[in-house]
């Protein structure tokens, strides 16, 4: 049985739950491992690779997996358009395969977090199919339908308001069958559910209950801060500047409505009936301040502020300071450098010329980024492939699968998310151990040399850097739950901070430059010297640090007083 729920007060000294001390690993099921040779990753493929994640002496050592959607779906947004919230897409397997996967995770001490996409369903969901038939259908009010306010001078039907779709164009699509517009924050194939309708709320909360009954430990709530829209559907005020039509308005009425707070409490009261369960909300197009507002006990929020930061110690220092100020000591951050929507961070942080194959300096930066992600305050979320510093795939727009990438134009700028969704290279050889067939996306071009098997055999690899860091983290309370204080490092290329939990302390120094750096450490009153516990470069473990620390180029160093 899981432990009793912790007190509602994250921070050093309190009891902590797994979703605070642990590390979560995101799997994009389509791209992790294909068990039947159809080129598409599946649940049985994941189950077959769980030893990579936990349970063996040479596993990565993560505490939970988060599975991106595996529900039946016509795949207009690769599973983020759900046609049946309680089923499993036959492409990915069956409910029995899901149960085996959960069992395999639990046996290895890993929790299972699933992705719930409750803002919108697929237009092929039976609820929407019923809803569009008529205004008097029992499901008529399950989506957001409105009449057209009339025609423009050119004869075009006017939309109910000026809201835009995040995936380009108007957020309203005319439906001939029903003779009304329906609203979609994303693609026309992803109509928004009407959370103001009590029957919808009940049905969706039932989905939550059902998956809890099936043994999952948590939920990643897709774009949870857009569930509610303004009750009167008022147009957003216009705004000057920004790239693309989305940014030409202030999104006051199409997200972050006050009704969300009540729903979050209700959701929590359901999740809290089972000890040890959690939720993490994906903040849609939100700022740090929104994240702080929407965090609740046992509810994490992704704020993504780390994702926009360039490779610069000064920029990360500013971002960490801003996050510390907003999260304070009471709120628990979720830390993300990469996910299935963003360019991979090994590519974002890479030096010029790194390219698809990568470079030694690019890998050295990826190691420093790993130290940052796994030692700063909050729960780290890893994205499959980052443990081998996988780079972006390069896919020409004409061959893009990602639907918004295919819609991109001058008014709607978009990046191709396929680049971050490449098949996982497990070993050299045809199919790279991902599939015996033809992978749905091309294998990374460097798969023959950059793969799990090869990096496992190299003590100095990015993979072994992640393994060692995860082991250090799980043995160091300060790194898991400690407070965080930035230290002034006297070198603009070095980011430094101290983590403290009771008597336990850790010092982290990250040299972002390709030159050595020498740091004068501020005195902190302790008589014990800092000793190196981990370094991304050659440094003897236990090496004592003086008042002046010499860092190698691109060295990520963790020191403790143990
Ligand atoms: C979230 C998902 C993204 C998806 C969108 C619509 O942002 O991370 O992949 O396209 O929601 O569901
Ligand atoms: Ca398959």
């Amino acid at each position: 049985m899981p432990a009793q729920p912790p007190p509602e007060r994250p921070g050093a000294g309190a009891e902590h739950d797994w979703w605070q001390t642990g590390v979560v690993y995101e799997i994009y099921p389509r791209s992790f491992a294909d068990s039947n040779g159809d080129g598409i990753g599946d649940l049985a493929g994941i189950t077959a690779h769980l030893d990579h994640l936990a349970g063996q002496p040479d596993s990565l050592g993560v505490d939970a997996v988060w599975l991106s959607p595996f529900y039946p779906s016509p795949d207009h947004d690769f599973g983020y358009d759900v046609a049946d919230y309680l089923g499993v897409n036959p492409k990915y397997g069956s409910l029995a395969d899901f149960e085996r996967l959960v069992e395999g995770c639990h046996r290895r001490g890993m929790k299972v977090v699933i992705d719930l996409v409750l803002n919108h369903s697929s237009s092929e969901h039976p609820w929407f199919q019923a809803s569009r038939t008529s205004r008097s259908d029992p499901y008529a009010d399950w989506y957001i339908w409105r009449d057209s306010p009339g025609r423009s001078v050119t004869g075009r039907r006017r939309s109910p308001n000026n809201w835009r779709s995040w995936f380009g164009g108007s957020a309203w699509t005319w439906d001939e069958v029903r003779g009304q517009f329906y609203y979609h924050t994303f693609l026309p194939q992803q109509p928004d559910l009407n959370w103001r309708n009590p029957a919808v709320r009940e049905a969706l909360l039932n989905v939550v209950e059902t998956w809890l009954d099936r043994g999952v430990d948590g939920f990643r709530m897709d774009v949870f801060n857009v569930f509610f829209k303004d009750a009167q559907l008022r147009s957003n005020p216009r705004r000057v500047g920004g790239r693309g039509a989305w940014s030409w308005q202030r999104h006051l009425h199409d997200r972050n409505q006050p009704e969300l707070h009540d729903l979050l409490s209700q959701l929590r009261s359901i999740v809290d009936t089972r000890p040890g369960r959690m939720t993490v909300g994906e903040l849609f197009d939100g700022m740090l301040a929104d994240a702080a507002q929407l965090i609740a006990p046992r509810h994490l929020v992704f704020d993504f502020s780390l994702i926009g930061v360039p490779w610069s110690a000064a920029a990360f220092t500013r971002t960490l300071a801003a996050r510390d100020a907003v999260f304070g000591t009471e709120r628990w951050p979720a830390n993300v450098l990469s996910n299935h929507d963003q360019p991979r961070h090994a590519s974002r942080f890479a030096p010029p010329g790194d390219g698809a194959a990568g470079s030694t300096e690019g890998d050295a930066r990826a190691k420093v980024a790993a130290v940052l992600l796994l030692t700063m305050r909050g729960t780290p979320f890893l994205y499959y492939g980052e443990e081998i510093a996988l780079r972006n795939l390069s896919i020409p727009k004409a061959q893009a699968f990602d639907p918004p990438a295919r819609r991109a134009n001058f008014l709607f700028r978009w990046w191709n998310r396929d680049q971050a969704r490449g098949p996982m290279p497990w070993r050299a050889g045809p199919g790279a151990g991902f599939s015996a067939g033809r992978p749905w996306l091309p294998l990374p071009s460097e798969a023959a040399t950059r793969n799990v098997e090869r990096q496992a055999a190299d003590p100095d690899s990015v993979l072994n850097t992640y393994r060692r860091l995860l082991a250090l983290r799980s043995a160091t309370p300060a790194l898991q739950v400690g407070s965080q204080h930035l230290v002034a490092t006297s070198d603009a290329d070095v980011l430094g901070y101290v983590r403290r939990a009771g008597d336990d302390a850790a010092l982290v120094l990250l040299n972002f430059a390709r030159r050595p750096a020498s740091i004068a450490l501020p005195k902190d009153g302790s008589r014990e010297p800092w000793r190196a516990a981990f370094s991304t470069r050659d440094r003897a473990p236990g090496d004592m640090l003086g008042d002046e620390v010499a860092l190698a180029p691109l060295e990520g160093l963790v020191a403790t007083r143990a």
Side-chain angles (χ1 to χ4, degrees):
M1 280 297 285
Q4 284 303 299
E8 301 209 339
R9 166 170 76 82
E15 287 282 312
H16 290 85
D17 213 340
W18 65 267
W19 51 268
Q20 293 178 294
T21 55
V23 175
V24 186
Y25 183 97
E26 178 188 0
I27 292 178
Y28 196 68
R30 227 182 149 78
S31 301
F32 196 62
D34 169 23
S35 69
N36 62 354
D38 66 356
I40 297 175
D42 45 51
L43 299 183
I46 299 172
T47 306
H49 286 81
L50 291 177
D51 283 345
H52 171 63
L53 301 178
Q56 296 297 321
D58 61 351
S59 299
L60 197 51
V62 298
D63 304 273
V65 296
W66 147 28
L67 301 169
S68 281
F70 50 77
Y71 312 99
S73 163
D75 279 345
H76 288 290
D77 190 12
F78 293 113
Y80 285 92
D81 48 329
V82 178
D84 171 5
Y85 287 104
L86 301 179
V88 171
N89 190 330
K91 271 183 208 155
Y92 300 138
S94 63
L95 207 49
D97 290 320
F98 178 77
E99 281 161 7
R100 273 191 286 274
L101 171 51
V102 172
E103 201 267 322
C105 288
H106 286 170
R107 194 152 29 86
R108 291 170 177 81
M110 273 189 295
K111 307 287 183 181
V112 178
V113 175
I114 64 169
D115 215 316
L116 281 183
V117 190
L118 304 183
N119 174 66
H120 43 270
S121 73
S122 160
S123 53
E124 291 182 23
H125 195 293
W127 297 339
F128 187 76
Q129 290 299 320
S131 191
R132 75 192 302 188
T133 55
S134 84
R135 299 177 193 210
S136 54
D137 187 272
Y139 288 92
D141 198 25
W142 279 49
Y143 293 82
I144 301 170
W145 293 98
R146 285 295 182 280
D147 290 329
S148 168
R151 301 227 177 218
S152 70
V153 280
T154 57
R156 223 169 33 90
R157 267 192 196 95
R158 295 208 337 262
S159 309
N161 66 20
N162 72 352
W163 296 356
R164 310 286 305 176
S165 158
W166 175 248
F167 284 167
S170 168
W172 295 96
T173 288
W174 179 258
D175 186 73
E176 284 298 343
V177 183
R178 171 137 163 181
Q180 278 188 310
F181 278 103
Y182 67 89
Y183 178 70
H184 49 91
T185 308
F186 298 93
L187 296 173
Q189 294 89 348
Q190 294 171 296
D192 282 41
L193 285 149
N194 178 14
W195 271 94
R196 291 180 186 275
N197 177 345
V200 170
R201 186 164 172 144
E202 197 190 317
L204 296 176
L205 293 177
N206 235 323
V207 169
V208 172
E209 298 261 17
T210 306
W211 286 104
L212 287 171
D213 289 343
R214 289 176 180 175
V216 309
D217 304 286
F219 302 104
R220 179 254 189 199
M221 307 295 291
D222 190 65
V223 299
F224 78 108
N225 59 321
V226 284
F227 287 2
F228 287 96
K229 298 54 158 144
D230 177 51
Q232 299 149 48
L233 301 183
R234 281 170 291 183
S235 278
N236 283 321
R238 288 183 195 293
R239 177 177 170 273
V240 184
R243 285 178 83 222
W246 176 269
S247 54
W248 299 337
Q249 42 184 261
R250 286 173 59 214
H251 292 271
L252 287 188
H253 301 309
D254 52 356
R255 61 180 183 189
N256 293 350
Q257 298 301 298
E259 292 84 348
L260 188 58
H261 290 276
D262 174 58
L263 174 64
L264 278 183
S265 338
Q266 193 185 359
L267 186 64
R268 237 181 60 219
S269 65
I270 294 174
V271 172
D272 287 359
T273 56
R274 339 268 170 129
R277 315 297 171 96
M278 58 78 85
T279 57
V280 52
E282 184 214 19
L283 198 61
F284 166 69
D285 191 32
M287 308 308 269
L288 204 43
D290 298 324
Q293 285 268 312
L294 294 169
I295 274 181
R298 278 186 293 295
H299 180 71
L300 297 172
V301 172
F302 290 136
D303 66 281
F304 299 143
S305 52
L306 296 163
I307 282 185
V309 186
W311 186 252
S312 147
F316 271 107
T317 304
R318 279 194 299 275
T319 303
L320 260 59
R323 293 182 92 224
D324 283 350
V326 160
F327 288 112
T329 53
E330 295 299 306
R331 301 188 179 97
W332 196 254
N335 299 333
V336 184
L337 290 179
S338 284
N339 63 28
H340 62 284
D341 290 328
Q342 301 293 332
R344 287 186 173 274
H345 72 257
S347 291
R348 291 202 315 270
F349 294 152
D354 181 85
S359 62
T360 312
E361 183 178 343
D363 281 7
R365 291 185 182 196
K367 290 177 187 173
V368 174
V371 181
L372 174 68
L373 183 59
L374 291 168
T375 63
M376 72 183 141
R377 180 174 178 269
T379 302
F381 283 74
L382 310 185
Y383 181 53
Y384 87 93
E386 76 169 71
E387 72 273 37
I388 55 171
L390 211 57
R391 306 300 203 270
N392 284 336
L393 281 182
S394 139
I395 303 212
K397 187 182 163 192
Q399 285 155 33
F401 283 89
D402 184 26
R406 300 164 72 101
R407 287 158 64 102
N409 60 33
F410 168 72
L411 285 177
F412 170 59
R413 313 289 178 90
W414 192 261
W415 59 98
N416 182 0
R417 296 179 299 176
D418 297 342
Q419 65 190 351
R421 300 174 178 176
M424 179 76 159
W426 294 98
R427 54 173 189 267
F434 166 74
S435 173
R438 184 163 172 268
W440 76 283
L441 273 178
L443 290 169
S445 57
E446 77 277 29
T449 48
R450 186 180 296 284
N451 60 57
V452 172
E453 190 178 80
R454 176 108 163 212
Q455 291 206 10
D458 170 6
D460 216 29
S461 64
V462 178
L463 177 59
N464 279 310
T465 301
Y466 270 83
R467 288 174 174 167
R468 286 194 291 138
L469 271 169
L470 276 148
L472 174 69
R473 182 187 157 92
S474 70
T476 314
L479 292 180
Q480 291 185 302
V481 301
S483 60
Q484 174 167 291
H485 310 273
L486 288 168
V487 295
T489 62
S490 72
D491 184 321
D493 282 323
V494 178
L495 165 62
Y497 46 91
V498 174
R499 306 282 317 275
R500 273 182 219 287
D503 292 342
D504 196 45
L507 165 72
V508 180
L509 293 174
L510 307 172
N511 182 6
F512 280 63
R514 47 148 73 103
R515 57 162 176 82
S518 184
I519 303 303
L521 275 188
K523 298 244 179 308
D524 70 352
S526 167
R527 258 177 276 143
E528 290 291 311
W530 291 110
R531 288 174 189 278
F534 171 92
S535 169
T536 63
R537 305 297 307 261
D538 283 336
R539 184 187 285 272
D543 178 24
M544 210 205 296
L545 309 187
D547 294 344
E548 200 64 34
V549 185
L551 293 171
L554 290 168
E555 178 171 9
L557 170 66
V558 185
T560 58
R561 291 204 154 112

